[in-house]
Amino acid sequence: MTQTIAVDMESFVATEYPQVVAAVGLITGNRQDAPDAVQDAIVGYLAKPPNREIQNLAAWITVVASNRLRDAYRSRDAEQRALAKVGLVDEAGDDALSSFDIDVKRALTALPPKQREAAVLHYLLDHSVNTIAEALGVSSGTVETQLFRARQTLAMKLRKEDHRG
């Protein structure tokens, strides 16, 4: 492991780790599994760093951990569907966003995954559009479009749920 990677990782763990875990929990809808996903992404980064230079380690780890966790969900969902076909259903539920205002939670979880991911990275973790684009491997215009659509949807949903009149 090069000295630069070790220094980057020490800085990340000391300053950004809790925020990244929270962001992965919001993006995936499961705070319980977020720390493990982030740790797996860190281990993967240390074991085999990407070939390209990573401009923002926190954004990169957030995206990698979120993707890995979603992949795990897909596998688990496929297993649950198979179990349901034979009459065995897992009743365990997880309300990962219970600490958020119920309206905000509903609005965030209703966003399409790419919009939710961009919104969490930008608005909750305060990453720039360029940083998010680099981490996701898309253009900054794509991120701007996702954020625009997320803002429109969130504004509409939260306005409808404002019961003050």
Side-chain angles (χ1 to χ4, degrees), residues 95-121:
D95 190 7
L97 301 175
S98 61
S99 65
F100 281 87
D101 177 277
I102 191 76
D103 293 337
V104 173
K105 178 179 116 178
R106 280 187 194 132
L108 276 172
T109 57
L111 289 174
K114 293 295 182 186
Q115 289 178 25
R116 181 172 56 239
E117 188 170 38
V120 168
L121 285 165

Side-chain angles (χ1 to χ4, degrees), residues 4-164:
T4 304
I5 292 174
V7 170
D8 288 348
M9 189 54 65
E10 285 179 24
S11 174
F12 165 77
V13 171
T15 60
E16 298 177 283
Y17 176 82
Q19 295 163 325
V20 168
V21 169
V24 170
L26 281 170
I27 289 167
T28 62
N30 188 332
R31 284 189 311 187
Q32 181 179 350
D33 295 333
D36 290 337
V38 171
Q39 290 168 13
D40 287 345
I42 290 170
V43 168
Y45 177 80
L46 294 174
K48 188 175 183 213
N51 293 333
R52 63 184 171 90
E53 182 182 351
I54 302 302
Q55 299 298 319
N56 187 304
L57 185 59
W60 186 87
I61 288 176
T62 300
V63 170
V64 169
S66 297
N67 288 342
R68 288 184 181 176
L69 199 48
R70 281 193 293 251
D71 289 345
Y73 291 158
R74 285 186 203 105
S75 296
R76 187 190 74 222
D77 290 345
E79 180 181 327
Q80 287 177 347
R81 284 191 304 273
L83 289 173
K85 285 182 180 179
V86 295
L88 301 172
V89 179
D90 182 8
E91 297 292 327
D94 181 57
D95 190 7
L97 301 175
S98 61
S99 65
F100 281 87
D101 177 277
I102 191 76
D103 293 337
V104 173
K105 178 179 116 178
R106 280 187 194 132
L108 276 172
T109 57
L111 289 174
K114 293 295 182 186
Q115 289 178 25
R116 181 172 56 239
E117 188 170 38
V120 168
L121 285 165
H122 188 68
Y123 297 115
L124 299 178
L125 289 184
D126 203 28
H127 290 301
S128 71
V129 169
N130 290 336
T131 298
I132 297 167
E134 190 263 335
L136 293 174
V138 299
S139 72
S140 58
T142 299
V143 173
E144 290 170 345
T145 299
Q146 294 297 338
L147 290 171
F148 176 78
R149 291 176 180 162
R151 277 192 307 272
Q152 284 185 314
T153 302
L154 289 171
M156 184 177 65
K157 287 187 180 294
L158 293 173
R159 207 174 299 125
K160 282 183 182 177
E161 294 170 6
D162 185 1
H163 303 290
R164 291 176 288 169

